[in-house]
Structure formats: structure tokens, C-alpha cells
Amino acid sequence: MTGLGSTPLADGSGDVPPVVVKLGGARAVDPAGAVGDVAHLVANGRDVVVVHGGSTAVDDLLDRLGIEPEYVETPSGVTGRFTDAETMEAFTMAMAGQVNTDLVTALKNAGVDAVGLSGVDGGLLAGPRKSAVRVVEDGKKKIKRGDHSGTPREVNADLLSTLLAGGYTPVVSPPMFGTESESEGTPVNTDADRAAAAVAGALGAELVVLTDVSGVYADPDDPDTLIESVTTDEEYDALTDAAEGFMTRKVMAATEALESGATAVTVADANVRDPIVAALDGAGTRIERSAVTDRTDDDTVADAEVDG
């Protein structure tokens, strides 16, 4: 197992790093194109790890169970799901059960030897459980207790490298292993963007974050203002200033990935033709390591406190 600041492990693919694909779980994201691209890349000898979200599936299951989801805002302005014990059960069923199994099945049908894993399996993703989080309610900062969330601090890169060396394509899903003591832990919710960032950093991979827009826009209301390339401190500052709403979390994840060893991060549209190949060829917003490696901790995006 490696921490997020460790030296990237050799991936067995020569000078070509593996690709970590984060596939969004929102209803507006169609996974079909990504599935075809993973099959294409694997058939051509590229190592691929898929990390997926599943917010829509979680919300749908909560609705069927008659559980009202609760969303909270953090002091840094990020909105995320508050995961109490009851919601955590539904989260595990939807993410590690339905969404992961459906995606593995689609990849198998495309000819990929896919293996589904939750972050708990083999301690793949691990970090301290947050049982209390800072939130903003009615303009006031408060501490909300009873949460089941966490941010990955360790990645079992050996497990992923072993699977990749054996010709398998790992498909990784939250939850992660939330440590509560030196010897015990529990499954907890973690943000899939940040999980993908942790995996990409540990493997020294190129991270492609697929979502339902073309990338990060300088003006979030104008799709003609796509930020195509981020290579310097100044361009990074413009990127973070432009990121709003759900894109704030993706930029945060991109920063974490690059600081921990990823070679580059691209945020791109999942719904275009050949979305992963297009992103690797320059579509979307591409963020290079040079944009973040010389920055201090004070320059980076604030922690989200809540892991959606």
C-alpha cells in the first residue's frame, strides 16, 4: 500500500503511463462511449483503471426506500451528500452493487476482462473516517455529527498493478475503508473524483475525468469559453477562479492527482464520440503537472470537508 505522496509504481507499460478514467454517475452521463474506448485502449496494450461515481443511482435507491437525501454546504462552498448510517447502507448497495456490476458487465460484453472492486476490497482505498463535518446552515458554521465519509489517504497500488499485469482492467467504486482505530474500520462514502485522483497519483497515471460538459469554462454560462490548457501558476489561478459548483470538486481532485504523482489531468465530455481517446488527444481542459508542482499548500483549493 502506498501513501499519496509516494513514488509512482512501475506499471509495466514502458514509457506510456496507465490511464485512470473517472466516469461520472450523473444521469446525464452516458457510459457507452467510455466503455468502447476502454476496450479499444486495452486491446492496443494500454493499462486502464476505471473509477466510477453513481450519484443518480444512490438518489434513486434512496427514493425507492423512502429516505430523503440530505445535502449540506461546507465552509468552502462545496455541496455534498451527508451520509448518515441509513444512507450509507443505500450508498453501498447502489455503488458497489448495482453501478459497479452494471459497468463491469458492459465492459465484459465489450471484450474487456474487467474486475469490479470497492475501495474496501484489499484496503484499496483507505483513510480516516470523518464522523463529524463542518457545514454552513442559515449562514452559520456548525459541526454536524454522525457522518460516514472520508478522503483516501492510502492506495493499495500493488493490488491494482497485479491485476493490470495479469491483463485485467480494475473497475473501482466507493465506498472506501474508513479507519476508526489502528486495527478497525468501516465502509464510508468518499467522493469518486478524489478517489480517482488518489488512484492516478499512486500509479503515476494520466487521469481523464469524464463529465457532462466539455471541460472547465472561463465563463460557466458560456460554452465558447472552454479553458483548453493549464500549464502555469497564472493559468491555474484562472482555472480555480472559473470553477463553480460541481466543477470545484473536479479541479480540487485534479490538483490532488497532480500533486501526488499523476502525469496530467483532463476534464472532458463523456457524451462525445470516443470520449477517452478524444481527451487523450487534446479535447477538454488539460491540466499539466507544471501548473501545480511549484505551488504551496496555501495556493491550492481548500478541502471540501464533505465527501459526496
Side-chain angles (χ1 to χ4, degrees):
M1 182 176 290
T2 68
L4 299 191
S6 61
T7 301
L9 298 179
D11 57 81
S13 58
D15 294 331
V16 181
V19 179
V20 174
V21 178
K22 176 357 181 89
L23 187 58
R27 199 180 308 277
V29 173
D30 183 353
V35 167
D37 269 3
V38 171
H40 169 76
L41 291 169
V42 170
N44 284 276
R46 193 79 180 263
D47 286 341
V48 180
V49 177
V50 179
V51 181
H52 68 79
S55 57
T56 296
V58 175
D59 286 342
D60 287 348
L61 181 56
L62 289 172
D63 183 61
R64 291 200 299 272
L65 295 174
I67 302 171
E68 184 72 24
E70 181 179 4
Y71 289 88
V72 294
E73 180 184 350
T74 73
S76 56
V78 176
T79 299
R81 180 187 290 109
F82 184 78
T83 312
D84 59 17
E86 189 176 38
T87 302
M88 188 65 223
E89 292 183 10
F91 178 88
T92 301
M93 286 188 284
M95 293 286 281
Q98 177 191 345
V99 180
N100 191 267
T101 300
D102 288 350
L103 187 52
V104 169
T105 300
L107 287 164
K108 288 286 289 179
N109 287 336
V112 179
D113 282 332
V115 177
L117 300 163
S118 82
V120 175
D121 295 324
L124 178 56
L125 299 170
R129 174 196 168 187
K130 294 181 188 174
S131 59
V133 292
R134 294 188 295 275
V135 302
V136 177
E137 294 181 359
D138 300 323
K140 297 180 180 179
K141 294 181 181 180
K142 299 180 180 180
I143 299 296
K144 191 171 182 64
R145 304 189 184 279
D147 194 33
H148 293 68
S149 70
T151 300
R153 301 302 182 198
E154 294 181 314
V155 176
N156 189 344
D158 288 339
L159 174 57
L160 295 173
S161 295
T162 298
L163 289 168
L164 292 170
Y168 296 99
T169 297
V171 180
V172 180
S173 167
M176 61 169 252
F177 186 76
T179 55
E180 298 183 304
S181 68
E182 290 186 3
S183 59
E184 294 185 351
T186 188
V188 297
N189 181 5
T190 191
D191 177 65
D193 288 316
R194 301 180 79 179
V199 170
L203 291 176
E206 185 166 352
L207 174 60
V208 175
V209 179
L210 294 179
T211 183
D212 60 353
V213 295
S214 296
V216 185
Y217 304 127
D219 178 354
D221 296 323
D222 185 355
D224 291 329
T225 63
L226 177 69
I227 299 172
E228 296 182 355
S229 177
V230 180
T231 62
T232 67
D233 283 0
E234 293 78 10
E235 291 171 345
Y236 176 87
D237 288 338
L239 178 79
T240 56
D241 287 343
E244 294 183 359
F246 74 95
M247 196 58 75
T248 302
R249 191 182 297 277
K250 297 187 187 305
V251 171
M252 179 192 305
T255 303
E256 293 173 353
L258 294 167
E259 289 179 336
S260 61
T263 60
V265 179
T266 301
V267 181
D269 192 346
N271 299 320
V272 300
R273 182 174 179 179
D274 304 326
I276 303 172
V277 172
L280 294 174
D281 286 343
T285 299
R286 182 177 177 88
I287 311 165
E288 303 287 352
R289 289 194 71 191
S290 57
V292 302
T293 49
D294 295 332
R295 304 181 71 82
T296 67
D297 291 343
D298 291 339
D299 292 326
T300 57
V301 184
D303 190 13
E305 289 97 25
V306 174
D307 301 286

